[in-house]
């Protein structure tokens, strides 16, 4: 069996498994899962997790980690809420300061990990305590709110249904144009005609489902728009820039990358700066969604991000991962959360189930990497 047929069979099997899983979710929730309202809310719920996972992906690819993500998002939200509610600042300057503070938190992690050379696990674990503790001290562990309507609109507003349909049509047209141009320009390096048809067919299916969901309810939620833009930015960084290629090289072989002249310390530092930027943006979106900065904000968010990345195929041993996989992982994990909530499963049992999912994802990653390693040895 040639490589193309194997690829088609693998993609078909993945699609069938996904459809069966969604049908099971719908059955378990008495057909509430497939409602247009529920699917729209699911995307809004997934937005903050998507924002953090898209930057965590880069850290995992370069064999680093961040255990302070949820605490960083929480502290960013606290600062934003305090500036607007307590200090009376305008929305725009408060958002600007929040983003700067998020980047500074990322710089703190990046300095100790990239420049000083301390283990990422220890540094980010300490940062988790520092960030969350600072937020508790600043608020006395109380909720800061309510936020003004202009601010909550960042997460809670919607693009009108008809405009949403036009946006989806434009995105599909751009996607189709880029793929057709690449197919004609790159020839065999792009793939076969079957690969082109497969991409366009998948885009049509996603587009039709998106039109059905968003036209049938209130349109595209702004939180999902922000998360999509962040995911696209992470895609550009990881696939179209020298910085992104160096991250993959570092994850593949750190010592070889150093010998090749790559500035490891600088790349790691910049990766954590990007992670810090996501603290700020994630904190703003989360605070807008909740209508205030709650003491439980961002709690265990970093573990959900790791689980979503692993489910999406990002290797814990570094060197492999994609933003499309992360998007899939985030949506699957959020869908599982959504189903458990619709089934009225207790929050304590939900923690157990999510822990099992994370363990399974890491085991699957380990098994896959071992299989690839054995395959390489056989070929040699």
């Amino acid at each position: 069996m040639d490589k193309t047929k194997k690829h088609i069979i693998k993609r078909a099997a993945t699609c069938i498994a996904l459809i069966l899983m969604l049908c099971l979710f719908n059955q378990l929730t008495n057909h509430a899962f497939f409602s247009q309202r529920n699917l729209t809310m699911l995307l809004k719920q997934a937005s903050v997790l998507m924002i953090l996972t898209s930057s965590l992906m880069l850290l995992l690819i370069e064999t680093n980690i961040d255990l302070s993500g949820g605490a960083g998002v929480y502290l960013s939200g606290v600062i934003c809420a305090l500036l607007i509610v307590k200090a009376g600042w305008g929305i725009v300057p408060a958002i600007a300061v929040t983003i700067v503070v998020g980047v500074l938190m990322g710089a703190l992690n990046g300095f100790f990990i990239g420049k000083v050379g301390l283990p990422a696990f220890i540094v980010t674990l300490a940062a988790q305590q520092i960030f969350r503790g600072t937020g508790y001290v600043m608020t006395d562990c109380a909720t800061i709110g309510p936020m003004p309507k202009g601010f909550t609109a960042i997460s809670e507003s919607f693009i009108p249904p008809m405009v949403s349909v036009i946006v989806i049509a434009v995105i599909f047209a751009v996607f189709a144009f880029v793929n057709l141009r690449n197919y004609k320009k790159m020839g065999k390096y792009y793939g076969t005609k079957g690969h082109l048809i497969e991409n366009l067919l998948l885009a049509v299916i996603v587009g039709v489902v998106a039109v059905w969901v968003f036209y049938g309810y209130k349109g595209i939620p702004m939180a999902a728009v922000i998360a999509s833009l962040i995911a696209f930015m992470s895609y550009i960084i990881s696939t179209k820039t020298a910085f992104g290629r160096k991250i993959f090289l570092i994850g593949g072989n750190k010592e070889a990358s150093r010998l090749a002249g790559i500035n490891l310390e600088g790349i790691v530092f910049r990766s954590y700066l990007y992670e810090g930027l996501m603290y700020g943006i994630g904190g703003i979106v989360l605070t807008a969604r909740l209508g205030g900065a709650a003491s439980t904000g961002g709690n265990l968010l970093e573990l959900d991000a790791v689980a979503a990345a692993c489910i999406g195929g990002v290797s814990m041993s570094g060197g492999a991962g994609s933003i499309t996989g992360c998007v899939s992982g985030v949506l699957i994990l959020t869908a599982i959360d959504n189903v458990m909530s619709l089934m009225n499963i207790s929050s304590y049992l939900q923690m157990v189930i999510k822990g099992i999912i994370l363990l399974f994802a890491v085991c699957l990653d380990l098994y896959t990497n071992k299989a690839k390693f054995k395959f390489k040895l056989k070929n040699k």
Side-chain angles (χ1 to χ4, degrees), residues 300-374:
L300 299 179
L301 184 62
E302 62 279 349
L303 299 184
D304 284 348
V306 171
C310 286
I311 292 169
V314 178
S315 176
M316 293 297 288
S317 55
S322 68
I323 195 64
T324 50
C326 284
V327 171
S328 303
V330 167
L331 291 177
I332 289 170
L333 194 63
T334 308
I336 292 169
D337 265 343
N338 181 257
V339 168
M340 290 192 292
S341 297
L342 290 172
M343 292 174 67
N344 291 321
I345 294 174
S346 78
S347 58
Y348 308 121
L349 185 55
Q350 286 186 33
M351 290 173 66
V352 174
I353 293 169
K354 285 164 73 174
I356 292 169
I357 290 168
L358 175 57
L359 185 62
F360 174 76
V362 174
C363 288
L364 185 63
D365 171 59
L366 181 65
Y367 173 79
T368 305
N369 282 329
K370 276 187 176 179
K372 284 179 182 176
F373 183 68
K374 286 177 182 176

Side-chain angles (χ1 to χ4, degrees), residues 212-262:
W212 174 75
V213 171
F214 298 130
Y215 190 74
Y217 187 54
K218 293 183 178 180
I220 304 173
M222 280 307 300
V225 172
I226 294 169
S228 299
L229 291 173
I230 294 298
F232 182 70
M233 185 165 68
S234 295
Y235 167 76
I236 295 296
I237 290 171
S238 61
T239 61
K240 307 296 181 184
T241 65
F243 172 64
R245 287 191 289 271
K246 287 173 182 177
I247 284 174
F248 278 93
L249 288 171
I250 291 169
N253 192 320
K254 194 170 285 187
E255 195 54 40
S257 301
R258 191 186 298 277
L259 292 172
I262 295 175

Side-chain angles (χ1 to χ4, degrees), residues 186-197:
M186 298 170 67
K188 64 180 182 179
Y189 296 104
Y190 173 85
T192 61
K193 190 177 282 187
H195 181 63
L196 174 66
I197 294 169

Side-chain angles (χ1 to χ4, degrees), residues 1-19 195 198 202 311-314 320-322 324-325 364-365 367-369 371-372 375:
M1 189 181 294
D2 61 23
K3 191 176 179 181
T4 306
K5 285 182 180 177
K6 282 184 179 179
H7 174 73
I8 292 170
I9 291 170
K10 185 179 177 183
R11 291 290 287 270
T14 303
C15 290
I16 291 168
L18 185 61
I19 291 167
H195 181 63
E198 182 187 343
L202 187 62
I311 292 169
V314 178
S322 68
T324 50
L364 185 63
D365 171 59
Y367 173 79
T368 305
N369 282 329
K372 284 179 182 176
F375 179 73

